[in-house]
């Protein structure tokens, strides 16, 4: 940690303590993808250093931070609604500090609108300046300034930000930041900036210390992990990084997301097949099954290339499972073209799909394309897709009945009261068991498939 950061941290610690007359409470709400969750854990790491404890209730908090996502319009609308709802709370608690950060704020017009619409918001800051949170809080506390800090993409990656992890058995580790792909519908490259890879040594030591402290699952993060290593002095790519991390001793799973089909390589699948710790599951977003639409999306692969990747992965890992992301109703997509998406889904038999109706993002290329299909019609296509996928998901679950699976137990399912764990292939299994199993591996025999999830019994 550099000296400036340390000075601001101790100053905020004292000022906050005096302001609330005890230990200050923070409520940090994160929206969006795992990258944002990882950022949220850094924000909490810094706050923890500054003496904050955490609460799940905005009503009792002394500091509220919304860590936002800009990927679809709906995500942004929710944030405007939720920040707006704080108006009354702030009236009752004038000392409450409110901050908005994350991807939404990296769009200048949105950041300005947030600041203008909500005069009670004390700070608005972007994704590249997390390390300056102590300094921003210091400015708010010492001279009641409103702070807006955006842009400033730093050349070097900050390795000195403390992390307060939400989980004790599963951890997120950023492998790379940013995205250079500019898929025509997507806002991420604009809000997250250019790709930057962390040094392999830094990733290795973080992962090793996680395993040493008992973490059972590490997920490496990047918008396109397959372009890991570009711009580093070391000669390294993602497959080589995985091989090195797979060499860490211990009982743990090493996952990663997201893999872009344009860069997914046979080398990567070979490394997965040979790995000791790498589950045979790949999240490989295809977005559309139609070549014209894929071209317009600027995805840089076609249906054939996608299917050949799937075939190769299946060849080297017969038990591999796939999940994916898909967009319905991209501008200009016809119903016939949408049928190609359905046929791809049937061909691959994903165990799970993350499905989205296209949402125009101002400033992206697709937002300027003619989009004649009404929203209601896209909603009907969407429902058609969900129905097809539901059948496939149920079929995929049924196939596993009678098999024995090693699951990592995540928590207790609220509805059934059963333990909930995940197989290597990333399917959920519910089974009866003691609380002490949470965060541990268990061997389970699959006895039944109920809709999207499996039921089982522990085998001893
Ligand atoms: N980097 C990852 C995805 C990040 S965004 C990748 O390339 O696969 C997560 C998902 O949100 C995308 O895969 C896409 O399916 C969806 N998405 C992104 N922008 C969208 C938009 N404008 N409208 C609808 N869905 C979108
Ligand atoms: Fe968005 Fe494409 Fe980058 Fe993924 S690869 S974050 S979809 S631009
Ligand atoms: Fe959303 Fe930003 Fe992730 S836009 S999906 S939180 S990178």
């Amino acid at each position: 940690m550099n000296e400036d950061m340390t000075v601001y941290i101790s100053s905020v610690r004292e000022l906050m303590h005096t302001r609330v007359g005890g230990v200050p409470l923070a409520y940090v709400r994160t929206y969006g993808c795992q990258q944002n969750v990882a950022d949220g854990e850094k924000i909490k790491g810094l706050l923890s250093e500054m003496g904050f404890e955490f609460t799940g209730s905005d009503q009792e908090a002394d500091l509220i931070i919304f860590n936002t996502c800009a990927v679809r319009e709906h995500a942004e609308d929710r944030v405007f609604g939720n920040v707006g709802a704080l108006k009354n709370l702030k009236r009752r608690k004038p000392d409450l500090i409110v901050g908005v950060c994350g991807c939404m704020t990296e769009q200048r017009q949105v950041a300005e609108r947030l600041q203008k619409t909500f005069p009670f918001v004390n700070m608005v800051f972007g994704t590249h300046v997390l390390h300056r949170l102590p300094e921003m809080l210091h400015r708010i506390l010492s001279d009641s300034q409103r702070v807006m800090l955006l842009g400033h993409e730093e050349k070097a990656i900050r390795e000195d930000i403390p992390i307060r992890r939400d989980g004790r058995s599963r951890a997120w580790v950023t492998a790379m930041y940013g995205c250079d792909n500019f898929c025509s519908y997507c806002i991420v490259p604009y809000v997250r900036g250019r790709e930057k890879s962390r040094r392999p040594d830094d990733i290795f030591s973080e992962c090793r210390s996680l395993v040493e402290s008992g973490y059972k699952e590490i997920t490496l993060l990047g918008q396109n992990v397959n372009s890991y290593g570009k711009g580093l002095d070391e000669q390294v790519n993602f497959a080589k990084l995985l091989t090195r991390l797979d060499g860490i001793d211990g009982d743990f799973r090493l996952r990663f997301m997201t893999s872009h089909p344009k860069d997914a390589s046979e080398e990567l699948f070979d490394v997965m097949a040979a790995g000791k710790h790498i589950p045979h599951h790949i999240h490989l977003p295809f977005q559309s099954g139609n070549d014209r639409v894929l071209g317009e999306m600027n995805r840089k692969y076609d249906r054939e290339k996608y299917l050949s990747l799937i075939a190769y992965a299946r060849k080297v890992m017969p038990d591999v499972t796939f999940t994916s992301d898909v967009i319905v109703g991209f501008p200009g997509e016809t119903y016939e073209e949408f049928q190609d998406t359905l046929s791809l889904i049937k061909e691959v038999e994903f165990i799970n799909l993350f499905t989205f109706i296209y949402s125009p993002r101002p400033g992206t290329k697709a937002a300027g394309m003619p989009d004649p299909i009404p929203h209601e019609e896209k909603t009907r296509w969407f429902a058609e897709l969900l129905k097809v996928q539901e059948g496939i998901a149920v079929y995929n679950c049924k196939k596993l009945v009678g098999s024995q699976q090693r699951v990592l137990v995540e928590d207790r399912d609220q509805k059934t009261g059963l333990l909930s764990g995940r197989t290597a292939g990333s399917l959920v299994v519910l089974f009866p068991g003691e609380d002490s199993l949470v965060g541990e591996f268990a061997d389970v025999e699959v006895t039944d498939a109920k809709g999207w999830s499996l039921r089982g019994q522990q085998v001893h």
Side-chain angles (χ1 to χ4, degrees), residues 179-189 223-224 260 287 299:
C179 181
D180 287 354
N181 294 299
F182 290 93
C183 302
S184 62
Y185 50 82
C186 185
I187 196 74
V188 172
Q223 294 300 343
N224 172 11
H260 192 308
Q287 314 297 0
R299 290 290 286 181

Side-chain angles (χ1 to χ4, degrees), residues 166-351:
D166 294 336
R168 286 214 307 256
S169 55
R170 297 189 300 147
W172 313 110
V173 172
T174 304
M176 56 187 298
Y177 296 89
C179 181
D180 287 354
N181 294 299
F182 290 93
C183 302
S184 62
Y185 50 82
C186 185
I187 196 74
V188 172
Y190 301 90
V191 295
R192 285 280 172 177
R194 297 293 59 76
E195 279 175 4
K196 245 178 282 160
S197 295
R198 284 179 74 197
R199 294 186 47 245
D201 287 350
D202 291 326
I203 300 175
F204 184 83
S205 12
E206 184 173 346
C207 291
R208 192 177 47 193
S209 78
L210 283 167
V211 173
E212 280 167 4
S213 44
Y215 279 86
K216 297 286 192 299
E217 183 173 287
I218 293 172
T219 305
L220 300 170
L221 300 179
Q223 294 300 343
N224 172 11
V225 287
N226 298 315
S227 56
Y228 173 79
K230 282 183 201 152
L232 286 177
D233 296 336
E234 290 95 336
Q235 285 299 312
V236 62
N237 63 16
F238 187 65
K240 294 196 172 60
L241 175 74
L242 267 189
T243 305
R244 187 168 164 202
L245 300 176
D246 188 54
I248 296 175
D249 277 337
D251 193 12
F252 70 99
R253 282 177 177 168
L254 182 60
R255 298 188 186 271
F256 57 88
M257 62 193 289
T258 299
S259 250
H260 192 308
K262 88 178 157 68
D263 299 314
S265 61
E266 295 190 350
E267 184 191 7
L268 171 70
F269 299 142
D270 291 341
V271 166
M272 290 177 72
K276 276 205 305 272
H277 300 286
I278 313 169
H280 294 172
H281 163 246
I282 313 170
H283 182 63
L284 196 63
F286 69 96
Q287 314 297 0
S288 162
N290 176 271
D291 286 345
R292 190 197 69 81
V293 176
L294 284 171
E296 291 293 306
M297 285 178 163
N298 192 30
R299 290 290 286 181
K300 300 198 174 79
Y301 56 84
D302 58 15
R303 180 186 175 103
E304 195 186 325
K305 151 109 185 180
Y306 186 85
L307 291 174
S308 71
L309 285 172
I310 299 278
Y312 186 82
R314 285 204 161 118
K315 190 174 105 193
V316 294
M317 295 175 281
D319 59 345
V320 69
T321 58
F322 300 97
T323 51
S324 196
D325 295 351
V326 52
I327 297 178
V328 173
F330 182 80
E333 184 179 36
T334 64
Y335 185 68
E336 286 68 39
E337 289 167 338
F338 164 69
Q339 290 300 315
D340 289 339
T341 290
L342 286 190
S343 73
L344 188 138
I345 290 173
K346 290 180 193 154
E347 204 165 330
V348 180
E349 295 180 346
F350 299 98
I351 55 157

Side-chain angles (χ1 to χ4, degrees), residues 2 4-12 15 46 50 123 129-143 145 147 149 152 154 158:
N2 71 8
D4 265 11
M5 212 199 276
T6 333
V7 171
Y8 287 125
I9 283 177
S10 36
S11 156
V12 172
L15 290 167
L46 285 165
M50 289 183 273
M123 57 180 171
V129 292
L130 298 186
H131 59 286
R132 293 177 66 184
L133 179 61
E135 175 192 342
M136 290 183 261
L137 284 172
H138 171 83
R139 273 158 61 184
I140 292 165
L141 291 164
S142 53
D143 35 84
Q145 289 182 39
V147 187
L149 205 53
H152 302 293
E154 300 221 347
R158 301 289 300 221

Side-chain angles (χ1 to χ4, degrees), residues 55 67 90 124 146 159 175 177 243 263 347 353 378 407:
T55 167
N67 183 21
K90 181 86 175 195
V124 174
R146 287 184 86 195
E159 290 290 349
Y177 296 89
T243 305
D263 299 314
E347 204 165 330
L353 269 186
K378 292 184 183 182
V407 304

